[in-house]
């Protein structure tokens, strides 16, 4: 049916690693602060809720995708909705991926600028990032999956090491009492992580490139669970170190938490570890969205190859991420206030409606 | 100026004509019946080749059967030729024959071939090209008058270097022999290690002028399926005038010609090549070079040494880890040093920072200049150490150590910390497989510079790009970074550690899938009562 | 096409790198700040004091300076500078005009706040240290009854700089040490009022050496107790003895020394060292009355005895354990009386403990917690266990 634009195939383990890296990358960057600001010491609870929501979303997305074997979201959208409306929705998704990529790019570069190199213009890092993920997208999905196979174990290991090293600074009283948050603020705090878990929608583009598709459900839930473990590790870690008030006030609590580590007056100043975690995982994440956007637009436009689109789209992403938000506070506000509703529309509402349409069509045929 | 924007068509190279072929019209010719004619042709072809010997004599004292021996002086074993070809044919044949037995001119060729020669390996041909090739590679050719065929006597014997210790892969425990320049000796070395008919050695000449023998060696039933065909096809594509070293071939059959990384490893250790073959790889031997190419190559070979497999596994697993750290250190140490000192001083422990700051106080250069200066000096010294005639080598290292290490610090040109950082990098590189470190030595410099301009952020992004590049490389179909990317956790037993032999049950899964199992399971030594 | 794309990307990458040196600071372009002091001047301005390390004094191999570690005499190791301004940054701005290098806060060890500032309220200044990307939560925060500037204008005999010396003092828990993180957390919390380590510059010991024929009186920064805050304002001090009580309540008894009178010989003493200890606060809320049950457990080692109590007798150990418990109880009582009774603040985290146990009631009480706490009853249980007796069982001179 569809032209094979992307030649690579990825196996189950690679998919798992790729999905985990895709979600947790920025999750541990901005989300702990925001979630803690709303849910206080019960932030770990909101991640559990968000995880459940993420599983629901992934079930919808996978169920939908498996109904069209060998096709990406962009290919089966016209088949469900008809050629013209399908393509329009398809372009909305391309926009979503471009936007997500721009956001990830911006988040990382803002972090670097704010935390390490305040004198350097943001745009320098943006271009740096763009070159990187353009090159990665050029190498294709297979290489990206391989990268995540190196980075995820590395990052999970480093994160655990950080957690262990920081234990002398932790106080259990900081996350007590449990269930102290009102249901409303808990729900509010769940939205942002949920929209992150919802990025599992990218699976709708990846699924056709899986070597075997029978275990996708288990695989995805495993991936989401692993993300949950990582985010709980980092959020509970910073909560134990700082308590809810300070965690909610820091822009990058994981970084501040790392700064607290001091073992024997020598194992200290380990900020390089969060930078490594952020940049490596963020690169994979941004690239995956970028790849999805390029592949999607190539498929919608009926091109034989998506590589020529990389450069123009990279330029668009860079300018978008530079222009969208004037400062980091605006970015944060967007991510916490508006983004969840905007993202969840694409991540849950549309796939859900699509699934219903497909189901109605199928029963109609019978 | 913007040459690279131009269409490629304008730059398309003129199709390479086979070099040297033009004047060699005789390559397609066949031998004639008349010895005289043949000799005239040969004299013409071999004109001005003063080392070629033409020797005419009569067979068995029979005046009507003229024979001619042609060989290259110095390549052919003269004693064999005189004793077992000339002496036998001219003197020893007549007394051995019954008196009434007459050899006619027409029978002579078959008689000589079947009964007259005391040479262990003979061959016959009617092609002039094959004949010339045989002469040139040291065989002795016998022409018989009245026959359009020639007998090729394999009586080679020339001066060659004897088998010595490996110069590049040094081990404390393990076989010492290494390959030499003679292809046949080399194949014999391999055959002695793998005494099995499954060890296949396929030879082909490459190089229109040099006619270098190149052997593709593999173990049938073990080698990665399709690999041999692919290797042979890539070799047969080569049309070049000369192959003087395996390096020529390496670049001509490489998967990634534009990459700074070499995806074909080389070694001169016999045991290493044998081990490679047993893992499902193929080896390419080149006549005239002791360095053998092994394909496919994986990046992890850089931290492997043959000795790992001969010594106790506990310690050598630790050594593997040390090499892994050394590898990371080797590539990134100067870059991290520069990044930390110029951008991220907050990441150094206070006491260390104060100490380094104190050292650097009077140094007139920026850190990056200091590091690059020392790094370049180090590379220069290393190069000088290799090129220097042996007796002077000692002097170089002494001068290097004193001048660079001590004097420059005393003069306040560089800080001691920089010397330590660069020296550690250098030391780290020596723990790795030499062949693999060459491209990494190069990568170190741009990395250091990027670190000096954009700090750790730039360093990490460059490293990601570097790793992406490595991850996208393939060597004869096998991903270069296998088994790390794509990850195959079970395979890490021979990468980050060296598993004991009784636990290395399988060959690398991707390479050895043709014949996966190396040994019986459960070979871990047990006390007698538990044995069955 | 592939090569072209690669080349373009590569060129862009290189160009970007070449031009990107904005944040670059060579080591000899930064002035490393080791100690920071903030004072509130008489004319209501903020006075910022930095103790800067002078790297040349830290010795480079063969460069003439003293070899690492100690600096030679008559050589300045640090440079203490100060300026006043409306905000901390304003003051720093003035300083940076006087210093030939970038002021580098990344290695600040200690932040000392003067008494006038503490009484006025520290909220005005601590935000600067939160927003600074280079500042850390591990900085030791201290308050001094003297002027912070005067305290920083000192040097240490053992350590290279006085800032590092006082940092080590805090690290080795000679008093109640407070990190910037703890201080900020307590400031933000409703259930705990902040405390700070109290430091003073005091005549301390006599420096001796072959070159020091003239006896040289030396001033060193020492930890002399704790500063008690109500909200962000200083309201009183605890001396070293009362600080011990504070440490007991906070459960940070490690390395604390207790001296108890001998149970047998009236005017002799026994010294004990706390090896491990913890404190549990159990709040109870009954009919509007707040009660706290404080359980302190400590494991101690016998360090010194003045007379000949026989510690091979289990009863003797019991008796000494009880004596030690009584001593700790006394410490706690004194501190509680002073903090809860006199200063009327909750410096101990009783409020947090109450919050954990009684979430509902807390939401009503949290806004007037200090008043509520003043009326709360605290019941004490102290359990001490003697673990080891050092390298000796019983005294050699003890007659059987």
């Amino acid at each position: 049916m569809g032209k094979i634009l992307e030649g690579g195939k990825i196996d189950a383990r690679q998919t798992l690693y790729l999905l985990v890296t895709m979600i947790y990358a920025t999750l541990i960057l901005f989300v702990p602060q925001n979630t803690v600001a709303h849910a206080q010491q019960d932030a770990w609870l909101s991640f559990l809720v968000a995880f459940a929501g993420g599983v629901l979303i992934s079930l919808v997305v996978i169920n939908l995708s498996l109904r069209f074997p060998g096709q990406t979201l962009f290919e089966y959208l016209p088949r469900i909705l008809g050629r013209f409306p399908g393509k329009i929705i398809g372009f909305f998704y391309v926009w979503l991926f471009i936007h997500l990529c721009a956001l990830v790019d911006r988040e990382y570069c803002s972090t670097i600028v704010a935390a390490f190199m305040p004198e350097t213009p943001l745009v320098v890092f943006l271009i740096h990032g763009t070159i990187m993920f353009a090159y990665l997208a050029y190498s294709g999905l297979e290489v990206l999956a391989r990268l995540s196979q190196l980075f995820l174990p590395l990052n999970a290991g480093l994160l655990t090491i950080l957690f262990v090293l920081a234990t002398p600074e932790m106080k259990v009283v900081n996350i007590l009492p449990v269930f102290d948050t009102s249901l409303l603020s808990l729900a509010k705090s769940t939205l942002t992580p949920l929209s992150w878990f919802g990025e599992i929608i990218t699976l709708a583009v990846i699924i056709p490139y899986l070597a075997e598709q029978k275990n996708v459900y288990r695989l995805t839930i495993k991936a989401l669970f692993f993300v949950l473990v990582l985010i709980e590790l980092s959020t509970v870690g910073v909560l134990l170190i700082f308590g809810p008030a300070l965690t909610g006030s820091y822009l990058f609590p994981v970084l501040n938490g790392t700064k607290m580590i001091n073992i024997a007056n020598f194992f200290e100043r380990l900020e390089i570890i969060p930078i490594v975690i952020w940049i490596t995982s963020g690169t994979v994440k941004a690239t995956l969205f970028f790849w999805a956007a390029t592949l999607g637009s190539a498929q919608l436009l009926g091109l034989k190859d998506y590589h020529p689109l990389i450069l123009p789209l990279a330029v668009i992403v860079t300018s978008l991420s530079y222009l969208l938000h004037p400062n980091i506070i605006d970015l944060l506000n967007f991510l916490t206030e508006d983004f969840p509703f905007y993202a969840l529309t694409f991540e849950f509402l549309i796939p859900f409606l699509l699934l219903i349409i497909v189901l109605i069509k199928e029963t109609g045929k019978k | 100026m913007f040459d690279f924007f131009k269409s490629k068509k304008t730059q398309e190279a003129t199709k390479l004509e086979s070099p040297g072929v033009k004047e060699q019209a005789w390559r397609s010719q066949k031998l004639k019946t008349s010895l005289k004619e043949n000799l005239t042709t040969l004299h013409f072809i071999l004109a001005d080749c003063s080392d070629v010997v033409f020797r005419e004599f009569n067979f068995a004292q029979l005046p009507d059967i003229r024979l001619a021996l042609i060989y290259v002086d110095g390549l052919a074993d003269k004693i064999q030729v005189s004793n077992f070809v000339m002496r036998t044919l001219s003197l020893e044949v007549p007394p051995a024959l019954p008196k009434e037995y007459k050899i006619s001119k027409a029978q002579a060729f078959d008689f000589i071939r079947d009964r007259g020669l005391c040479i262990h390996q003979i061959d016959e041909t009617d092609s002039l090209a094959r004949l010339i090739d045989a002469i040139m590679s040291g065989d002795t050719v016998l022409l018989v008058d009245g026959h359009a065929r020639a007998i090729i006597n394999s009586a080679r014997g020339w001066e060659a270097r004897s088998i010595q210790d490996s110069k590049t892969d040094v081990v404390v425990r393990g076989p010492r022999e290494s390959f030499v320049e003679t292809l046949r000796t080399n194949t014999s070395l391999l055959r002695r290690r793998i005494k099995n008919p499954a060890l296949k050695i396929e030879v082909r000449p490459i190089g229109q002028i040099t006619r270098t023998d190149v052997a593709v060696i593999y173990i049938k039933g073990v080698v990665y399926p399709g690999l041999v065909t692919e290797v042979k096809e890539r070799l047969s594509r080569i049309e070049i005038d000369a192959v003087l070293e395996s390096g020529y071939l390496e670049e001509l059959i490489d998967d990634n010609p534009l990459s700074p990384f070499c995806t074909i490893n080389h070694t001169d250790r016999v045991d290493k090549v044998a081990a490679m073959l047993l893992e499902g790889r193929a080896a390419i031997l080149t006549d005239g070079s002791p360095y053998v190419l092994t394909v496919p190559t994986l990046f992890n070979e850089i931290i492997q040494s043959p000795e790992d497999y001969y010594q106790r596994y506990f310690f050598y697993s630790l050594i593997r880890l040390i090499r892994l750290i050394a590898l990371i250190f080797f590539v990134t140490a100067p870059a991290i040093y520069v990044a930390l000192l110029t951008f991220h001083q907050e990441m150094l422990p206070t006491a260390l920072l104060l100490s380094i700051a104190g050292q650097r106080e009077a140094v007139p250069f920026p850190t990056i200049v200091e590091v690059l200066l020392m790094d370049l000096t180090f590379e220069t010294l290393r190069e000088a150490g290799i090129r220097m005639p042996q007796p002077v080598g000692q002097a170089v290292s002494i001068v290097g150590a004193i001048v660079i290490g001590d004097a420059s610090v005393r003069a306040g040109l560089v800080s001691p910390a920089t010397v330590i950082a660069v020296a550690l990098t250098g030391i780290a590189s020596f723990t790795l497989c030499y062949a693999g470190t060459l491209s990494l030595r190069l990568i170190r410099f741009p990395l250091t510079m990027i670190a000096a301009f954009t700090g750790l952020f730039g360093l990490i992004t460059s490293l990601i790009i570097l790793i992406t590049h490595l991850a996208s490389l393939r060597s004869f179909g096998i991903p270069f970074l296998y088994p790390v990317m794509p990850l195959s956790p079970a395979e890490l037993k021979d990468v980050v550690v060296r598993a004991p032999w009784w636990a290395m049950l399988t060959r690398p899964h991707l390479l050895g899938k043709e014949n996966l199992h190396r040994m019986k399971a459960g070979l871990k030594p047990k006390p007698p009562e538990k044995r069955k | 096409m592939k090569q072209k794309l690669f080349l373009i990307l590569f060129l862009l990458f290189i160009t970007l790198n070449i031009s990107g040196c904005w944040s670059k600071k060579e080591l000899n372009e930064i002035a490393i700040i080791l100690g920071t002091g903030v004072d509130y001047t008489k004319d209501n301005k903020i006075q910022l004091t930095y103790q800067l390390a002078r790297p040349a004094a830290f010795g480079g191999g063969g460069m003439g300076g003293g070899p690492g570690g100690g600096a030679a005499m008559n050589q300045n190791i640090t440079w203490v500078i100060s300026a006043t301004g409306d905000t901390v940054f304003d003051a720093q701005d003035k300083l940076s005009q006087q210093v030939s290098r970038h002021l580098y806060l990344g290695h600040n060890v200690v932040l000392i706040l003067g008494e006038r500032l503490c009484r006025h309220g520290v909220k005005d200044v601590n935000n600067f240290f939160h927003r600074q990307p280079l500042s850390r939560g591990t900085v030791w925060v201290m308050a001094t009854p003297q002027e912070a500037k005067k305290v920083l204008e000192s040097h240490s005999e053992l350590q290279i700089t006085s800032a590092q010396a006082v940092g080590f003092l805090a690290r080795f828990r000679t008093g109640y040490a407070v990190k910037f993180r703890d201080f900020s957390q307590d400031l933000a919390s409703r259930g705990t009022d902040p405390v700070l380590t109290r430091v003073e510059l005091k005549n301390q010991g006599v420096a001796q050496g072959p070159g020091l024929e003239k006896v040289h009186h030396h001033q060193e920064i020492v930890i002399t107790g704790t500063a008690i805050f109500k909200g962000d304002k200083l309201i009183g001090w605890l001396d070293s003895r009362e600080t011990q009580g504070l440490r007991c309540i906070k459960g940070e008894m490690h390395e604390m020394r207790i001296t108890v009178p001998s149970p047998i010989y009236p005017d002799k003493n026994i010294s004990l060292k706390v090896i491990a200890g913890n404190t549990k606060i159990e709040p109870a809320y009954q009919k509007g009355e707040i009660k706290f049950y404080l359980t302190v457990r400590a494991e101690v080692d016998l360090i010194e005895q003045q007379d000949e109590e026989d510690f091979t007798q289990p009863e003797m150990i019991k008796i000494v354990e009880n004596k030690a418990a009584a001593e700790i109880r006394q410490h706690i009582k004194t501190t509680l009386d002073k903090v809860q009774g006199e200063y009327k603040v909750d410096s101990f985290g009783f409020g947090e403990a109450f919050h954990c146990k009684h979430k509902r009631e807390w939401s009503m009480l949290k806004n007037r917690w200090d008043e509520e706490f003043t009326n709360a009853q605290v019941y004490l249980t102290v359990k001490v266990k003697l673990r080891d007796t050092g390298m000796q069982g019983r005294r050699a001179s003890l007659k059987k």
Side-chain angles (χ1 to χ4, degrees), chain B residues 4-8 258 341-351 353-363 365-368 409-410 412 416 450 452-454 458 461-462 465, chain C residues 1 3-4 7-8 11 13-14 16-28 30 32 34 53 55-56 58-63 101 104 106-107 109 133-134 136 160-161 164:
Chain B
F4 64 93
F5 284 121
K6 273 190 203 158
S7 159
K8 224 196 220 153
L258 290 177
L341 252 58
T342 47
F343 286 94
H344 310 284
Q345 294 92 348
E346 83 261 27
M347 290 181 203
L348 288 166
T350 310
L353 177 81
L354 288 175
S355 162
I356 296 178
Q359 294 169 12
R360 276 201 49 82
E361 201 57 18
V363 175
F365 305 117
T367 318
I368 172 67
V409 170
R410 273 176 195 281
I450 288 170
F453 292 128
T454 46
T461 46
S462 327
I465 290 187
Chain C
M1 183 60 206
Q3 282 94 322
K4 269 185 220 167
L7 208 63
I8 292 171
L11 279 178
F13 198 67
I14 293 295
L16 213 73
N17 281 326
I18 298 289
S19 54
C21 304
W22 293 271
S23 303
K24 186 168 175 260
K25 290 188 195 92
E26 284 289 338
L27 263 192
N28 34 21
I30 60 171
I32 301 161
L34 290 175
F58 289 84
M63 281 304 300
R101 301 181 176 191
Y104 196 77
H107 283 268
V109 180
L134 286 175
R136 290 171 174 267
I160 305 172
T161 62
Q164 281 168 297

Side-chain angles (χ1 to χ4, degrees), chain C residues 249 332-341 348 350 373 378:
Chain C
I249 302 173
I332 296 178
K333 271 235 142 49
T334 321
T335 312
L336 264 181
D337 284 349
K338 188 134 187 189
V339 177
Q340 191 188 16
F348 312 108
F350 283 111
F373 174 67
V378 180

Side-chain angles (χ1 to χ4, degrees), chain B residues 411-422:
Chain B
L413 288 178
V414 290
S415 63
T418 311
V419 176
I420 293 171
V422 173

Side-chain angles (χ1 to χ4, degrees), chain B residues 31-328:
Chain B
L31 282 175
K32 303 272 167 32
T33 341
S34 149
L35 180 65
K36 201 159 243 159
E37 259 180 82
N38 281 338
L39 285 180
T40 321
T41 321
L42 285 176
H43 271 294
F44 173 72
I45 295 170
L46 299 172
D48 300 331
C49 297
S50 58
D51 56 343
V52 179
V53 176
F54 291 83
R55 173 74 159 86
E56 284 178 69
F57 60 101
N58 290 353
F59 172 59
Q61 315 294 341
L62 301 170
D64 56 331
I65 308 179
R66 282 294 278 177
L67 302 177
L69 270 178
I70 305 130
Y71 60 90
V72 176
D73 192 12
L75 289 187
D77 186 345
K78 270 175 276 188
I79 297 171
Q80 263 194 58
V81 172
S82 0
N83 276 350
F84 304 112
V85 181
M86 274 175 61
R87 190 184 162 85
T88 322
L89 289 181
S90 61
L91 297 178
E92 287 175 0
V93 167
L97 287 178
K99 280 253 158 53
E100 60 279 14
Y101 194 88
K102 271 274 184 217
I103 303 168
S104 70
K105 204 171 173 176
Q107 290 170 318
F109 188 85
D110 290 341
F111 182 89
I112 291 171
R113 187 190 60 201
D114 298 339
R115 299 165 72 175
L117 286 170
C118 297
I119 292 295
H120 65 107
Q121 186 192 340
I122 59 171
D123 196 4
E124 66 169 273
T125 183
D126 60 349
S127 143
L128 199 56
R130 169 87 177 86
L131 188 103
I132 295 288
D133 285 350
I135 295 171
M136 286 297 122
S137 33
D139 290 338
T140 306
V141 167
L142 182 69
L143 289 173
V144 183
D145 190 23
H147 294 273
R149 284 180 293 172
I151 298 173
I152 298 169
N153 301 288
S154 187
R156 300 182 187 183
W158 57 75
E159 293 302 316
R161 189 168 66 93
S162 59
I163 297 167
Q164 284 168 330
D165 278 22
S166 169
K167 290 278 187 288
T168 45
D169 275 349
V170 185
V171 297
V172 175
R173 174 177 174 181
R176 308 227 165 262
E177 326 179 293
S178 67
F179 289 115
V180 292
E181 281 76 5
T182 319
L183 179 70
R184 199 38 81 198
T185 316
N186 291 348
T187 57
S188 74
L189 285 171
L190 272 176
R191 178 70 74 182
R192 256 184 34 219
R193 286 233 156 39
I194 305 169
K195 303 178 187 69
N196 195 310
L199 180 77
K200 304 293 182 197
I201 302 172
E202 297 183 21
V203 182
R204 68 177 64 224
I206 297 181
Q208 264 76 1
I209 291 178
T210 57
R211 312 291 305 163
T212 311
D213 279 334
V214 172
V216 179
I217 305 194
Y218 57 94
I219 301 177
K220 200 172 178 185
V222 172
V223 71
Y224 177 66
L227 177 65
V228 178
T229 337
E230 179 65 28
V231 171
K232 284 197 275 190
E233 198 195 295
R234 288 195 195 178
L235 285 177
S236 64
R237 264 185 42 235
I238 299 175
E239 285 186 30
I240 191 173
D241 60 339
V243 176
L244 294 182
E245 218 280 338
S246 50
Y248 285 46
L249 299 177
E250 183 182 306
E251 284 185 14
L252 288 167
I253 62 173
D254 202 351
D255 296 58
N256 316 284
L258 290 177
S259 165
F261 290 89
C262 169
T263 48
I264 297 176
N265 208 352
H266 62 263
T267 180
D268 66 345
R269 288 193 63 87
V270 183
D271 52 335
K272 195 170 170 182
V273 172
M276 296 273 192
L277 293 178
L278 285 165
E279 281 190 344
R281 292 184 170 93
I284 302 167
L285 271 64
T286 315
D287 195 18
S289 164
Y291 287 97
V292 174
L293 305 178
T294 50
V295 292
T297 296
L298 302 181
F299 188 63
N300 64 44
E301 283 167 29
I302 198 172
I303 60 165
Q304 293 173 334
S305 153
E307 186 159 7
D308 301 356
Y309 302 93
Y310 309 145
Q311 300 270 30
R312 192 80 178 156
Y313 61 91
F314 282 113
F315 183 64
Y316 269 78
S317 294
L318 174 71
I319 295 283
R320 278 278 170 87
L321 287 174
I322 289 176
R323 289 205 203 105
L324 189 64
I325 294 165
L327 171 68
I328 298 168

Side-chain angles (χ1 to χ4, degrees), chain A residues 126-329:
Chain A
L126 286 177
I127 295 176
H128 238 109
T130 312
I131 293 174
M132 193 162 57
F133 63 68
Y135 178 66
L136 258 71
Y138 199 86
S139 308
L141 182 66
E142 215 173 338
V143 171
L144 193 62
R146 283 187 206 159
L147 278 186
S148 70
Q149 279 190 316
L150 178 69
F151 292 157
L152 181 64
L154 180 82
N155 293 344
L158 287 177
L159 205 61
T160 318
I161 290 174
L162 278 187
F163 188 88
V164 171
L165 287 180
T167 39
E169 296 295 330
M170 294 180 183
K171 280 193 209 132
V172 182
V173 72
N174 282 337
I175 53 163
L176 294 176
V178 292
F179 307 126
D180 193 29
T181 322
S182 71
L183 230 53
L184 183 71
S185 41
L186 192 68
K188 236 177 158 180
S189 71
T190 307
L191 274 179
T192 314
L194 180 62
S195 60
W196 251 268
F197 275 110
E199 281 164 1
I200 201 80
I201 180 78
T202 321
L203 203 56
V205 191
I206 303 174
I207 280 188
Y209 303 109
L210 300 196
E212 68 243 42
Q213 285 164 359
K214 50 181 193 288
N215 289 332
V216 189
Y217 284 108
R218 233 180 58 200
L219 204 71
T220 312
I221 291 169
K222 225 160 119 187
L224 290 176
F225 181 72
F226 202 49
V227 173
L228 179 71
V229 171
L230 286 176
I231 182 66
E232 292 289 14
L233 199 67
S234 39
T235 310
V236 172
V238 290
L239 265 176
L240 284 168
I241 296 173
F242 291 117
L246 276 190
T247 310
S249 82
Y250 288 138
L251 282 184
F252 320 108
V254 176
L255 182 66
N256 288 63
T258 313
K259 284 183 169 183
M260 290 303 298
I261 294 174
N262 186 339
I263 308 279
N265 226 5
F266 192 81
F267 265 109
E268 51 168 351
R269 303 171 183 272
L270 300 173
E271 292 98 296
I272 189 167
I273 295 182
I275 311 182
V276 168
I277 297 178
W278 289 342
I279 298 182
T280 51
S281 54
T283 310
V284 172
K285 178 170 189 157
T287 311
L288 193 64
F289 291 149
F290 186 71
W291 170 84
T294 40
L295 184 81
S297 33
Q299 282 176 334
L300 291 173
L301 298 172
L303 302 182
K304 280 196 209 72
D305 186 11
Y306 68 85
H307 288 125
L309 290 176
I310 287 178
L311 219 49
L313 278 183
V315 174
I316 294 176
V317 167
T318 315
S319 9
L320 256 187
S321 53
Y322 187 68
L323 297 171
L324 274 179
H325 304 285
N327 54 42
I328 195 163
I329 298 302

